[in-house]
Amino acid sequence: MKIQCPCGAKYSIDVSPGMQPVQFICPNCNGDYSAFVNELIQRELAENFPSSSAAQPASPSIPASGSPGLRISRAHVPAAPVAAQESPEAMVCAKHNEPAAEHCTVCHKPICPKCMDIFGFFCSAYCKSKAEVGKMNVPAYAGSTFATEARFWRKMGWILGVAGTLAVLGLGTWIWYAWIASMPHQYFAATFDQTSHTGSSYLNDGQIVFLHGGTLARYDMKAGKQVWSKELVSQTEIDDVVKGLNEHETTARENSGEMDVSSVPSSLREKYARIGLEGALTLHCAGQNIWVADGGQLTQYDWNTGNVLQQVALPDGGEATTRGNELLTFGSGMDGAPSVVQVDLASGALTTNEFHDPAVAGLGQDSPPSGAAGPSSGGGLPLSAYQSAQPMDSRRVAQQAQNLSLQGQIALPAVIANNSYEQRLEGAMNDGQDRPRTQRTYTHPAKTAHQTTNSPPLDFTLIPDNDGYEEFSSEMIQENIVQREAMKAPASNSALESVSGGNEEAAVNEQLNDMQRQNGADKVTEDQSTYSITIRQAGSPQNSWTGEVIGPPQLIPLKTVNVLAAGKTVIVLDKTNKKLWQTTLTYDVTGGKQSPLEESPYGDGPCVEHDGVLYVFDQAVLSAFDLTTGNARWRIPTVGVVGLFFDEKGMLYVNTTTGNPDDIKYSRQIDVTKSTTAIILKIDPVAGKILWRSQGSGYVSYVSGQFIYAVQSFDPGDEEDQMTDNTLALLKPALTRIIRISPSDGHSLWQIDQPRAAMNVQFDGSYIHIIFKKQVQVLHYLAL
């Protein structure tokens, strides 16, 4: 019979009938297993020798005859414990009184699963430490609490490690995006030696085409290399202009007899000649088609080489404007009929349309009257003596005063006082000249409101619509020019009597306002004349409307309606010029674009159609009307609205100011301490609720999706001009500031400042292209 000790040692015992009980002590572990071995012997005898075992007593005894033959042979000791032939489940754990599952590797006591959960293949911590000291090779129990916890913490450590790595990567990515990638950086730049004052640019698939002054060029922005460049203004052309100016000045001197009149320096004369020639150039691009308009000529340049492909003659005196991918130029035909030259910028196809109508004698070349009232345009601070004779724009004066350098602020009172004295002298010499009229009214002797016979032909202005044209005629039939006070009465106590640091600004204000009154700028004139209006579709005389309005009129063709605005009156017509409704506002409709196709950096207006609503802003109120019925949906008081933008979600962004109604009433009043700043309003167009307002960012210039930009720019003049006009040195340095605004709350996402004045800033998503006087620059950033 072969047996195995719980310690792993194996033994063989010769079993024969009549064996007496044996004493078995394992030499390997010194464990006394005599009872267990004798029980096994009895079982072996019962199986192999039943007759003999039946005669044996129930308990082990020494057989009656024969000497016992017992041979014990030592087997090898394995490295790992092996279960005994008898199942451990038949034994009971002494600690927990439960069936044993294994034996302790050291002391071989039966152990149950509870013991194994705690100590593995050991019955106690003592045996476990003993095995560790003896360096026994014991397999780990996968179900032990320590092993389970170890696996758990290893798993948690792995999870926490991955989470920590992801967190570090996420934080690093956020820092990289927030402080580096999302901030604009210079993507492209081209620098020039010659100073220019005009320009524009166009981006297309990593390429930039720009007009910088008289230089037309294309660059590969990715490679940073010039593809080609053309000079469109030659020195010969500049010399010809300067020669003509010199001849004109000479003739003027001879006619006036004032031979001692000082001449403009030749350098400035050449500079202004160049500016005039460069300013006549306009860039128009569509895809890879490049066009440049120059007065009466439109030239197409090859995308790959820059060579001239074709030239198109435009009507004399015609001014070019764009409508989608079309370039439109208005003029007169050979018989005086109005004509439009249409150039498809993509294909280069040219079409000339002449509108022959017996009632039309000619085409008005000027834009329709803007109807602009409110603060009159005028000069700024009288920092030079020659400026003192012109009226001053109160807002421009206040803005310039706040952009003075410290030196300029200190010198301002003395400069104003000197120019005020010179103005009084000039006023004394010119005393007795005609003063501005107060009011006059008369009726046109040849025309009445409804005259239809023996009337001279009407003079129409052709206004481009979405895909056609509207003929607009405006005839004054009763003039009524009203003059009113636009300044407050002078203060009873003059600040000039005792000028000190405390009332220095009040003294400057008093001097400037005195100069305004002496120049006759304390009053403004308002046109409240009656005009006879005729509007009709070009080529469709039956689709016309005729009526009368008070105030300078302007026609604004929109998507589905035509709007006639004049003074405080707004008349809405459908596209067949049938009147839909009319309303009267509190203030005059002013500002906005002078032409429906004109691109304004401040947005659309004063009349804008969007999603079945007509938005109209006058001098102090923004109103929303139902486009069909004319019912007012809401009104928001705000002074100085200059334009509207809409985003893809239909939200309304308004460029306006912090002004108040007094700014309208006293539009000529000077206050250098007053800062009427630009503000931006985001409005829910349905409820007319202001969602947020942003002040200090300037006006919004671009709205598209997540991109909202505002631009501020200040230009004190060229350095060479400061040599001839030292007062420019009193102003602060040049500055261009671009701000990206959050659509959700109006806060600034980032702001970049450059110490130079931009002549043109354009946006294309996350690309910003800027024309400076000596550089073309493109900024770019990553937008998520």
Side-chain angles (χ1 to χ4, degrees), residues 369-516:
S370 65
S376 303
S377 61
L381 279 171
L383 300 179
S384 298
Y386 70 86
Q387 292 178 272
S388 55
Q390 60 179 336
M392 290 174 282
D393 186 333
S394 58
R395 290 182 59 183
R396 183 178 177 187
V397 167
Q399 183 182 19
Q400 282 187 313
Q402 290 150 25
N403 281 293
L404 288 173
S405 62
L406 178 60
Q407 176 188 0
Q409 294 173 3
I410 296 173
L412 181 61
V415 172
I416 298 301
N418 177 70
N419 290 333
S420 177
Y421 175 73
E422 293 188 5
Q423 177 183 328
R424 291 190 182 94
L425 292 180
E426 182 179 356
M429 290 185 293
N430 295 331
D431 189 27
Q433 293 184 352
D434 293 337
R435 305 299 296 173
R437 61 193 176 189
T438 57
Q439 180 174 350
R440 59 191 177 96
T441 302
Y442 74 92
T443 301
H444 196 287
K447 298 177 182 178
T448 61
H450 304 287
Q451 185 175 0
T452 58
T453 58
N454 299 324
S455 299
L458 295 178
D459 187 16
F460 279 88
T461 297
L462 207 59
I463 300 177
D465 203 343
N466 297 326
D467 52 5
Y469 305 92
E470 296 289 339
E471 294 177 344
F472 178 68
S473 172
S474 170
E475 293 289 330
M476 180 189 291
I477 60 175
Q478 185 176 15
E479 186 180 44
N480 185 17
I481 306 298
V482 178
Q483 190 176 72
R484 64 172 180 83
E485 294 287 340
M487 295 182 66
K488 299 178 181 179
S492 56
N493 298 324
S494 175
L496 298 175
E497 295 178 357
S498 177
V499 180
S500 62
N503 70 341
E504 192 174 76
E505 291 176 338
V508 170
N509 283 337
E510 185 175 334
Q511 290 174 306
L512 292 173
N513 286 313
D514 286 344
M515 295 171 67
Q516 284 280 70

Side-chain angles (χ1 to χ4, degrees), residues 58-124:
S59 59
S61 61
I62 299 175
S65 64
S67 60
L70 177 65
R71 181 176 62 84
I72 302 175
S73 60
R74 176 77 178 269
H76 73 280
V77 181
V82 180
Q85 201 171 14
E86 180 68 18
S87 173
E89 285 79 355
M91 296 176 286
V92 177
C93 173
K95 283 187 177 181
H96 300 98
N97 197 26
E98 293 185 3
E102 288 291 345
H103 292 84
C104 176
T105 304
V106 176
C107 68
H108 311 292
K109 293 180 180 179
I111 54 178
C112 67
K114 290 183 178 180
C115 297
M116 298 179 70
D117 286 344
I118 302 174
F119 304 110
F121 289 102
F122 303 98
C123 65
S124 64

Side-chain angles (χ1 to χ4, degrees), residues 133-357:
V133 171
K135 298 182 179 179
M136 295 179 63
N137 186 14
V138 181
Y141 176 54
S144 69
T145 303
F146 294 109
T148 303
E149 291 181 354
R151 288 197 305 273
F152 171 77
W153 287 113
R154 283 196 300 271
K155 184 177 180 180
M156 287 300 298
W158 182 83
I159 294 174
L160 292 175
V162 172
T165 302
L166 293 176
V168 171
L169 290 176
L171 179 61
T173 302
W174 180 84
I175 293 175
W176 170 78
Y177 174 76
W179 297 96
I180 299 175
S182 66
M183 296 298 295
H185 61 276
Q186 181 170 290
Y187 183 71
F188 166 80
T191 306
F192 303 89
D193 295 330
Q194 179 69 45
T195 299
S196 296
H197 296 79
T198 59
S200 59
S201 54
Y202 168 73
L203 302 184
N204 181 30
D205 192 24
Q207 307 289 303
I208 181 172
V209 177
F210 61 80
L211 186 62
H212 183 266
T215 302
L216 176 66
R218 176 188 156 210
Y219 277 73
D220 185 335
M221 294 191 297
K222 296 179 180 178
K225 295 181 179 180
Q226 174 183 293
V227 180
W228 50 261
S229 178
K230 300 288 182 180
E231 291 297 329
L232 306 186
V233 176
S234 66
Q235 187 61 43
T236 301
E237 293 176 295
I238 297 174
D239 293 341
D240 290 342
V241 173
V242 172
K243 180 180 178 181
L245 292 175
N246 291 336
E247 292 175 351
H248 177 75
E249 182 177 302
T250 301
T251 303
R253 287 182 181 182
E254 292 175 351
N255 293 336
S256 63
E258 298 178 358
M259 302 301 296
D260 57 343
V261 176
S262 59
S263 175
V264 177
S266 58
S267 60
L268 284 182
R269 194 181 295 273
E270 181 174 330
K271 171 186 174 180
Y272 295 132
R274 177 184 294 276
I275 292 175
L277 291 171
E278 294 176 349
L281 303 174
T282 57
L283 177 66
H284 306 275
C285 297
Q288 293 189 355
N289 298 278
I290 305 171
W291 298 82
V292 175
D294 180 9
Q297 182 171 274
L298 183 64
T299 305
Q300 183 181 16
Y301 295 87
D302 183 76
W303 175 266
N304 295 315
T305 64
N307 295 331
V308 175
L309 294 179
Q310 61 173 315
Q311 291 182 324
V312 177
L314 301 177
D316 293 339
E319 189 170 340
T321 186
T322 56
R323 181 174 64 184
N325 282 340
E326 286 184 330
L327 186 72
L328 309 178
T329 303
F330 301 92
S332 299
M334 296 299 294
D335 58 354
S339 66
V340 180
V341 176
Q342 298 177 212
V343 180
D344 189 317
L345 297 177
S347 64
L350 182 145
T351 305
T352 300
N353 294 321
E354 292 191 1
F355 299 90
H356 295 278
D357 192 317

Side-chain angles (χ1 to χ4, degrees), residues 18 26 31 253 260 309 332 337 344 360 375 391 449 452 553 580 592 641 668 694 704:
C26 179
R253 287 182 181 182
D260 57 343
L309 294 179
S332 299
D344 189 317
V360 180
T452 58
L580 298 177
V641 178
R668 292 290 180 84
S694 176
S704 177

